[in-house]
Amino acid sequence: MVVGIAGLGLIGGSLAKAYKASGKDVTVLGFDRDASITHIAQIDGALDGELTWERIGECDLILIALYTGAAIEYMEKIAPCVRPDTVVVDCCGTKRTVCKAGFAISEKYGFIYAGGHPMAGSQYSGFKYSRANLFRGASMIIVPSRFDDIHLTSRIKELLRPVGFGRITISTAEQHDQMIAFTSQMPHILSNAFIKSPTARAHKGFSAGSYKDLTRVAWLNEDMWTELFFENEDFLLQEMDDLIHSLEQYRDALKKGDRDTMRALLAEGRRCKEEIDG
């Protein structure tokens, strides 16, 4: 199997390393807009060679780990070189915009495309933080063009198997973006806003696991997350409004000295956690 990976940051670099560490017969070709990163990845053993225009046609699978706009542009450029039986999967953090473009491009040029989102990451970005086990046991979300094509989904699962994902989740682009606003984007906003408290500068000696858990993703890539937030503005605003409404209830209970309401709010949140996560 030949796998091409465009974009060798945390996600693309980790995918390359996972394939090379899988023990399977996989040739990994890679491309990054920063040619020095491509060179470093080859020296590191994450790549067998460079993903050039001439070698696009060798690939059984092409993974595009770029920002949405760049991913669409890259797909448009390589489309004439992609074999009809090649599977192209993007790894963008939102799906509606990239899938709309990807489905149109693949239909025009006659190759196979599916949206994708590997559900693992780190507060750090760049190839130097990539690792072969980043996706081990994680979920990979796939947005296919058709939901009745069992052969296609089975093939995609087989192509991704060496990475070590624990679960392949099939979704629509709309459902993905709605869920990701809650599970990923809101935690980043909350963490980033929380750390701005003036009290944070004096936290050492007073903080433990809850502080570390809540603030870990405040250390983020602001360029990437700004783009993702605006691509998903409608669903993200809804989640923010819901959270603000909940916070107002806790604040009002404190202001009024209403212990019964506070206890009820806390109990409700505990029950929700128990019901949702078991």
Side-chain angles (χ1 to χ4, degrees):
M1 176 169 64
V2 179
V3 177
I5 300 175
L8 297 171
L10 175 69
I11 300 301
S14 295
L15 287 167
K17 290 179 179 179
Y19 276 107
K20 292 308 299 176
S22 68
K24 306 294 184 181
D25 184 16
V26 183
T27 298
V28 181
L29 307 176
F31 159 80
D32 194 272
R33 287 173 293 180
D34 184 344
S36 67
I37 298 298
T38 306
H39 182 60
I40 290 169
Q42 290 184 73
I43 293 174
D44 190 61
L47 301 179
D48 295 298
E50 186 177 354
L51 182 62
T52 60
W53 302 120
E54 293 77 16
R55 302 196 72 177
I56 292 289
E58 298 178 26
C59 298
D60 301 294
L61 171 66
I62 298 175
L63 297 165
I64 305 177
L66 301 168
Y67 293 0
T68 299
I72 294 170
E73 181 181 347
Y74 183 79
M75 216 181 316
E76 288 173 334
K77 286 182 177 178
I78 68 169
C81 305
V82 179
R83 293 196 327 249
D85 62 333
T86 296
V87 176
V88 177
V89 178
D90 78 88
C91 299
C92 299
T94 61
K95 295 270 67 83
R96 284 175 291 176
T97 299
V98 71
C99 283
K100 181 179 179 181
F103 292 144
I105 295 167
S106 62
E107 184 176 358
K108 178 180 178 181
Y109 287 93
F111 61 84
I112 303 164
Y113 163 79
H117 187 183
M119 296 303 298
S122 165
Q123 66 268 41
Y124 307 112
S125 60
F127 180 79
K128 68 178 179 179
Y129 295 108
S130 63
R131 61 182 193 272
N133 64 353
L134 180 65
F135 305 112
R136 190 171 298 157
S139 177
M140 174 63 164
I141 301 172
I142 294 294
V143 180
S145 58
R146 291 174 51 189
F147 288 83
D148 60 350
D149 192 339
I150 303 301
H151 174 72
L152 173 60
T153 54
S154 296
R155 186 173 173 219
I156 292 173
K157 289 178 181 180
E158 192 60 31
L159 288 168
L160 293 172
R161 191 179 303 280
V163 178
F165 290 110
R167 176 176 180 175
I168 302 294
T169 301
I170 306 300
S171 173
T172 65
E174 181 105 356
Q175 180 188 27
H176 169 278
D177 287 359
Q178 182 176 20
M179 292 303 300
I180 225 70
F182 171 72
T183 62
S184 178
Q185 295 181 343
M186 271 303 298
H188 281 80
I189 285 181
L190 180 59
S191 179
N192 198 263
F194 179 78
I195 199 64
K196 294 175 184 177
S197 167
T199 314
R201 298 189 180 278
H203 82 86
K204 292 183 179 178
F206 295 87
S207 56
S210 55
Y211 168 83
K212 292 177 181 178
D213 291 344
L214 184 55
T215 60
R216 180 180 65 84
V217 294
W219 195 328
L220 46 67
N221 180 332
E222 59 270 19
D223 294 326
M224 180 184 76
W225 285 101
T226 296
E227 183 169 330
L228 290 172
F229 291 159
F230 278 94
E231 287 171 5
N232 210 26
E233 175 186 353
D234 51 350
F235 288 130
L236 186 54
L237 281 173
Q238 182 60 59
E239 290 296 336
M240 290 180 71
D241 289 343
D242 290 345
L243 177 62
I244 289 168
H245 174 68
S246 291
L247 288 173
E248 287 174 342
Q249 292 179 299
Y250 292 91
R251 184 190 62 189
D252 291 347
L254 275 173
K255 279 188 173 182
K256 295 174 183 178
D258 189 342
R259 290 174 179 263
D260 290 338
T261 296
M262 179 61 77
R263 188 179 296 107
L265 289 169
L266 294 172
E268 180 186 24
R270 174 179 52 77
R271 285 195 300 271
C272 284
K273 175 65 175 174
E274 289 173 349
E275 292 169 7
I276 293 166
D277 293 336

